[in-house]
Amino acid sequence: MSNLKWWQTALFYQIYPRSFADANADGIGDFAGITAKLDYLKDLGIDAIWLSPHFPSPNWDCGYDISDYCDVAPEYGTLEDFKAFLHEAHARNIKVILDLVLNHTSDEHPWFLESKSSRDNPKADWYVWVDTPPNNWQSCFDGDAWTYVPERDQYYYHYFMKQQPDLNWRNPQVKQAMWQAVRFWLDLGVDGYRLDAIGTIYEDPALTPHAVPMNLAQLRRFSETARTPQEIALKNRYWHDMFKHQWGQPELHDLMKELRAILDEYDGDRMLVGEDDDIAYMGNGNDELHLVFNFPLMRVERITPVHIRKNQQQRLARLDALPVRGWACNTLGNHDTSRIYSHYADGQHDAELARLNAALVLTLRGTPFLYNGEEIGMQDYIITDPSKLRDTMATWYYNALINDLKVDPAEAALRAGEMSRDKNRTPMQWSPLPNAGFCPPHVTPWLPVHPNHAEGVNVKEQLDNPDSMLTYYKRLIHVRKNTPALLMGEYKPLHLKAKEYFAFLRYTEQQTVLVVLNYSVTHYELTFRVPGKKQARVLFSSAGRSKRDQPLSKVSLGPFEVLIAELF
Ligand code: NOJ
């Protein structure tokens, strides 16, 4: 189609393995389950899978605490099961990228067990050790960032939970060991990596303390109760200031270059996407990461036309300014955030807004990433019984609220449930059966299934329903795939002052496409002036508009309508 790389035109789909499909009836998703669903993904129109961690792990942080980088967690299957999955995905022309957690390992990883065993073992310097806590740094998950180990009579540093000790990346042996793991999966044929939390890999060598007059629990609590614009601004500043010495160090660029060089040794355009929004991690556009996520698009309470326009203006200008032009990458949800359907809801037009936002991600310039379940409109399911929480960060917060901040237990349970990432990690809803077809009815799934699986929020009932969210996604994806301007075209916003709808062009030399997303109940008759174009031929309309042409001088747009039209 063009000289674009596969990852530029691909539609990515994030699979959270624990919650996707359980083939062996233990209440936990697995590779056999994922493999059995590949035809579903192909039919949906997916080109690439981002697999959240599938490695052995004690699961303090749901797999992001890895105890062996070169194997498969037994609950997900064996290495052979992984290979079979990869083979079957590739056979369907679906690429697979893995999650690569560089900043930390599990505290049960043999590297850490050895490192903590004495001050003079061969891996003594593989983690960040100090004699006494040198500052007031916080772990962003569970309070103090320094944890004591009696064997060494020393403390180690952890940006995340204490079960996730930070590796000392200034030690070359650490790099070599990790690069071996990177090669292990590339040799097996995986197509790239999503890089976890790269910003946190190095810390300020001067160990400068933070100057926020609170600890983590107090800051979380303050964030929940902040209401006025001043309080909200202060909260945002505090979050930044509390952690600013613990991430974003300049050495990271050399590290990313080193990693990129390894990927470039392989054929097949292997790729890296960073869990970071900083375009600086794309280097000169061709020597660090291929993609970074456009997180500023999603980190708002409400998606509005004004916000989208500003976001695109800022992001695209920076990408365009790179020596080798950068490629955009958009997403609105993942395993760490509220589900799109819940996050951007207004309580009145939730379904309409979810559909608009799906269309947004699938039509903006750049590579889109979807999160499993989004395509059937899965919603957050807040767990109010603290004993059922699996996200241990939330359990920690619950205890801190009760014990340190003396918050009423009922309120603490609600707050913990709301902040917990369990709500957006509940099992995929395949059918209206008990346990939503994720696992057999007699089995207890690792997290409760959202009850709305019995009310139509499931794959089985949506598949043949022309009005379902799933059909809507499939139609949109089909239009995207068959419209070169949407896959690779330039972007030009139109009607820059409109507050309730967002209109833009995507265009190549051969094709010009108009996209209009109406974020309001208003019915519009819009006039667009596009040089050389007079008519709009509807490619997609969520209002069921017929494929008849409309004059560009009078384009009708219904309430909450998504309109995609080719201009001629
Ligand atoms: C970012 C991951 O997305 C999140 O789930 C995890 O808890 C942290 N990094 C730590 O690895």
Side-chain angles (χ1 to χ4, degrees):
M1 172 180 282
S2 68
N3 53 6
L4 293 180
K5 308 287 189 204
W6 67 265
W7 48 267
Q8 294 177 296
T9 52
L11 169 60
F12 280 76
Y13 182 93
Q14 180 190 358
I15 291 185
Y16 197 68
R18 225 172 176 71
S19 286
F20 198 61
D22 172 19
N24 68 348
D26 63 355
I28 297 174
D30 45 48
F31 276 115
I34 299 175
T35 307
K37 298 297 184 190
L38 285 172
D39 285 334
Y40 162 76
L41 294 178
K42 187 69 195 168
D43 184 48
L44 179 58
I46 296 312
D47 306 299
I49 291 170
W50 153 26
L51 197 66
S52 278
H54 64 280
F55 314 95
S57 163
N59 279 303
W60 285 93
D61 186 18
C62 269
Y64 283 90
D65 47 326
I66 297 171
S67 52
D68 182 349
Y69 281 79
C70 296
D71 206 349
V72 170
E75 64 268 35
Y76 299 152
T78 61
L79 197 53
E80 290 313 307
D81 294 327
F82 173 85
K83 289 181 191 166
F85 151 71
L86 186 64
H87 177 81
E88 291 300 321
H90 282 167
R92 289 164 179 76
N93 213 7
I94 296 177
K95 308 274 189 191
V96 176
I97 68 167
L98 304 182
D99 222 312
L100 181 60
V101 183
L102 298 173
N103 176 65
H104 49 271
T105 68
S106 157
D107 64 344
E108 292 182 30
H109 194 294
W111 298 343
F112 186 73
L113 295 179
E114 188 174 342
S115 187
K116 79 167 196 178
S117 65
S118 68
R119 290 191 186 200
D120 56 3
N121 66 75
K123 296 197 173 50
D125 191 34
W126 279 41
Y127 294 80
V128 182
W129 293 99
V130 290
D131 290 342
T132 49
N135 55 31
N136 59 355
W137 285 358
Q138 297 286 286
S139 136
C140 74
F141 279 0
D142 62 1
D144 282 348
W146 303 98
T147 291
Y148 182 71
V149 167
E151 292 94 320
R152 287 178 65 137
D153 189 21
Q154 279 186 316
Y155 295 76
Y156 66 90
Y157 171 70
H158 50 97
Y159 184 87
F160 296 98
M161 278 169 218
K162 58 175 158 302
Q163 293 85 359
Q164 295 169 295
D166 271 46
L167 283 159
N168 174 15
W169 277 90
R170 294 186 174 114
N171 179 337
Q173 291 177 341
V174 167
K175 279 191 201 170
Q176 290 323 313
M178 195 61 96
W179 295 163
Q180 265 180 31
V182 166
R183 287 177 188 281
F184 175 82
W185 299 101
L186 291 175
D187 289 340
L188 286 182
V190 305
D191 300 287
Y193 289 104
R194 173 265 190 189
L195 302 181
D196 186 70
I198 43 171
T200 62
I201 286 178
Y202 293 105
E203 299 75 44
D204 167 17
L207 299 169
T208 314
H210 76 74
V212 174
M214 295 181 179
N215 64 21
L216 179 77
Q218 290 162 335
L219 178 53
R220 277 204 187 285
R221 183 69 181 147
F222 176 61
S223 306
E224 281 166 4
T225 51
R227 294 281 175 273
T228 66
Q230 291 81 353
E231 286 169 342
I232 291 172
L234 189 62
K235 155 203 108 164
N236 290 338
R237 206 182 78 213
Y238 279 175
W239 275 106
H240 175 265
D241 287 356
M242 182 174 276
F243 294 103
K244 69 180 177 190
H245 303 293
Q246 296 171 248
W247 46 258
Q249 298 299 308
E251 297 147 277
L252 194 56
H253 293 288
D254 285 338
L255 191 73
M256 293 299 105
K257 286 196 179 91
E258 223 177 293
L259 178 56
R260 169 66 178 261
I262 295 176
L263 268 87
D264 285 349
E265 287 172 25
Y266 287 79
D267 61 2
D269 295 315
R270 318 287 173 109
M271 61 86 69
L272 297 169
V273 51
E275 191 213 8
D276 205 295
D277 53 52
D278 191 348
I279 289 169
Y281 294 132
M282 296 172 87
N284 71 6
N286 200 31
D287 62 352
E288 294 189 36
L289 308 185
H290 300 80
L291 298 173
V292 295
F293 287 108
N294 177 9
F295 287 138
L297 179 69
M298 66 188 263
R299 287 193 182 135
V300 282
E301 293 270 304
R302 295 268 174 276
I303 302 278
T304 65
V306 174
H307 167 67
I308 305 164
R309 230 174 267 130
K310 195 165 154 209
N311 169 271
Q312 290 298 290
Q313 189 193 8
Q314 292 172 347
R315 299 290 296 181
L316 298 180
R318 282 209 58 199
L319 289 167
D320 292 349
L322 292 178
V324 179
R325 195 185 196 206
W327 195 258
C329 177
N330 300 297
T331 186
L332 288 179
N334 57 45
H335 66 295
D336 289 330
T337 59
S338 249
R339 284 191 170 274
I340 295 181
Y341 199 104
S342 307
H343 187 167
Y344 307 111
D346 68 355
Q348 273 186 298
H349 312 101
D350 302 358
E352 291 91 336
L353 290 169
R355 287 180 183 223
L356 277 164
N357 290 326
L360 177 69
V361 171
L362 291 166
T363 54
L364 281 179
R365 189 181 125 190
T367 300
F369 273 68
L370 309 181
Y371 175 51
N372 58 199
E374 193 177 292
E375 74 276 20
I376 52 168
M378 278 181 66
Q379 298 168 30
D380 287 351
Y381 184 45
I382 295 179
I383 296 173
T384 48
D385 174 354
S387 72
K388 296 218 162 65
L389 291 172
R390 294 289 169 270
D391 186 358
T392 45
M393 160 167 91
T395 311
W396 173 83
Y397 186 50
Y398 173 72
N399 290 329
L401 279 175
I402 291 185
N403 300 329
D404 305 339
L405 302 177
K406 310 294 173 208
V407 170
D408 171 67
E411 192 196 335
L414 188 61
R415 294 296 174 214
E418 279 170 349
M419 69 83 80
S420 153
R421 298 166 298 174
D422 291 333
K423 64 180 180 301
N424 45 283
R425 296 174 174 178
T426 59
M428 179 72 184
Q429 297 167 200
W430 295 103
S431 79
L433 295 173
N435 287 337
F438 164 73
C439 59
H442 63 274
V443 171
T444 306
W446 78 284
L447 272 181
V449 174
H450 198 307
N452 70 8
H453 72 277
E455 292 149 23
V457 186
N458 66 71
V459 171
K460 186 162 193 295
E461 290 177 314
Q462 291 194 16
L463 264 181
D464 297 322
N465 176 352
D467 298 323
S468 71
M469 184 69 111
L470 183 55
T471 304
Y472 173 85
Y473 264 86
K474 281 169 74 169
R475 283 179 51 221
L476 261 178
I477 292 170
H478 181 79
V479 170
R480 177 186 160 79
K481 276 187 178 320
N482 291 288
T483 308
L486 289 180
L487 291 175
M488 62 179 103
E490 297 298 322
Y491 157 89
K492 182 175 193 295
L494 302 173
H495 290 204
L496 303 186
K497 297 236 157 55
K499 289 207 163 56
E500 295 195 317
Y501 64 88
F502 174 55
F504 60 105
L505 296 178
R506 298 290 314 280
Y507 61 97
T508 60
E509 273 178 22
Q510 288 78 28
Q511 188 182 42
T512 300
V513 168
L514 169 72
V515 181
V516 196
L517 308 174
N518 185 0
Y519 280 84
S520 79
V521 291
T522 312
H523 187 112
Y524 288 97
E525 301 282 353
L526 300 171
T527 300
F528 292 101
R529 287 190 187 82
V530 181
K533 308 290 177 194
K534 292 224 159 4
Q535 300 279 323
R537 178 165 300 156
V538 176
L539 299 176
F540 180 93
S541 156
S542 61
R545 207 167 289 288
S546 73
K547 302 259 167 199
R548 269 207 316 266
D549 303 341
Q550 299 195 45
L552 268 184
S553 55
K554 198 172 174 224
V555 174
S556 297
L557 187 69
F560 295 104
E561 180 170 353
V562 171
L563 179 71
I564 306 176
E566 181 166 1
L567 306 190
F568 61 98

